Every structure is written in C-alpha cells, then in structure tokens.
C-alpha cells in the first residue's frame, strides 16, 4: 500500500500534516512494482474521494480522465476497475485548454451558452469498462488504505522540515 500524501492531503481528509509512505514492502519488490504501487495508491486516493461523494447521495455513473494521467491507457483501465464505473477518456485531455476554448467560443457567439460549448467540445476518444471481478479486491484495498492513514496519523508525529 502507498499513501500518496507527500505534501499532506486536501480532499477528502483535509489534513495538511498527513504523511505518505509505503507499507508491506520486501526486498523482492522491483522498480516496476514500486511504480505500480504508487499508481495504485493514487488510484485508491481517487476512489476514496469517489466513495465519499457517493455516500453523500450523489449518483455517479461514469468518470472522465483529464490531465497528464489521462494519457496512460493502463491507468485509465485501473481507475475503471477501482471505481466500478466506466472511465471516459476525451480526445482533448487538457481540461484547462478545453474550458478556455468553450468560453472563447461562447464569447464570440459560436455557442449560445457555456454548457452547450462544453458538450460540443467533449469528444470521447475511448472508454474503459470496469472489470467486475476486481471490485471486491479494490474495496478491501480501500479499507487497508484508510486504516494505513489512520495509523500514521495516530502514531507518527508530523515533523515538517
């Protein structure tokens, strides 16, 4: 398990002093294993946010990947498996640029409103469908992830440099 809190954490725990780290390592881990664990830890952090959103009563039927991580097809599939919902990957992966184009197009009259502009510009390149058989493992991993955070929070003092 990897806690990705190398600079504290904002969402969903709002803890500036949260600590990152690895748990369960052995000498058999390779560099590739470590990279995988980091990606899985970040994915669990995202799943933690999603589960809290769903617990608030919001129905989430799909997610869209934006930014640098959206360029990695394997990670997009991993997110779909972890979240248990489809993950859509847009043709334009940089949301800031897409938003600026939508506002500019609305501003010069191409679209009647920003919502129409966004819908017109949101072109899905591909979608990842979740693997049902991995859902239980991801739920168990999320429990371990949350417990690891609680243990570090309770037992390891925050010592900023």
């Amino acid at each position: 398990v990897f806690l990705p809190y190398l600079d504290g954490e904002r969402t969903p725990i709002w803890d500036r002093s949260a600590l990152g780290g690895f748990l369960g390592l052995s000498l058999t881990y390779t560099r590739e294993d470590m990279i995988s664990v980091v990606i899985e830890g970040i994915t669990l952090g995202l799943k933690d946010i999603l589960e809290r959103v769903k617990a608030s009563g919001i129905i989430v039927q799909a997610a869209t990947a934006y930014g640098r991580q959206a360029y990695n097809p394997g990670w997009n599939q991993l997110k779909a498996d972890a979240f248990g919902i489809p993950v859509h990957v847009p043709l334009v992966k940089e949301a800031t640029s897409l938003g600026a184009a939508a506002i500019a197009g609305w501003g010069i009259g191409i679209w009647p409103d920003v919502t129409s502009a966004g819908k017109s510009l949101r072109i899905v390149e591909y979608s990842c469908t979740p693997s049902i058989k991995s859902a239980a493992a991801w739920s168990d991993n999320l429990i371990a992830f949350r417990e690891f955070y609680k243990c570090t929070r309770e037992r390891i003092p925050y010592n900023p440099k």
Side-chain angles (χ1 to χ4, degrees), residues 39-40 42-44 46-48 50-51 54 60-66 69-70 72-89 126-139:
I39 291 171
E40 289 168 7
I42 295 168
T43 303
L44 283 166
L46 295 171
K47 180 175 177 62
D48 195 14
L50 178 65
E51 292 303 319
K54 288 167 40 178
V60 182
Q61 297 177 345
T64 302
Y66 285 104
Q69 48 81 33
N72 186 319
W75 194 358
N76 293 326
Q77 182 61 56
L78 194 71
K79 287 180 281 189
D81 293 343
F83 302 166
I85 57 175
V87 171
H88 303 303
V89 181
Y126 67 94
S127 296
C128 298
T129 304
S131 167
I132 303 303
K133 63 182 176 182
S134 66
W138 279 103
S139 293

Side-chain angles (χ1 to χ4, degrees), residues 56-123:
S56 75
I58 296 172
I59 298 169
V60 182
Q61 297 177 345
T64 302
Y66 285 104
R68 292 299 311 161
Q69 48 81 33
Y71 290 90
N72 186 319
W75 194 358
N76 293 326
Q77 182 61 56
L78 194 71
K79 287 180 281 189
D81 293 343
F83 302 166
I85 57 175
V87 171
H88 303 303
V89 181
L91 187 60
V92 178
K93 295 166 184 57
E94 302 305 326
T96 305
S97 302
L98 197 60
I103 291 169
W106 165 68
I108 62 171
I110 294 174
W111 295 286
D113 52 56
V114 178
T115 302
S116 298
K119 287 180 181 177
S120 295
L121 293 173
R122 195 176 2 196
I123 302 167

Side-chain angles (χ1 to χ4, degrees), residues 1-3 21-25 29 37 41 44 141 144-146 148:
V1 176
F2 173 70
L3 288 181
F22 292 93
L23 178 69
L25 293 180
Y29 273 68
V37 169
L44 283 166
N141 289 347
F145 180 84
R146 287 176 173 169
F148 185 23

Side-chain angles (χ1 to χ4, degrees), residues 4-28:
Y5 309 145
L6 301 180
D7 191 27
E9 177 66 335
R10 279 52 176 182
T11 302
I13 59 174
W14 302 102
D15 183 356
R16 291 185 54 203
S17 60
L19 299 171
F22 292 93
L23 178 69
L25 293 180
S26 73
L27 291 174
T28 62

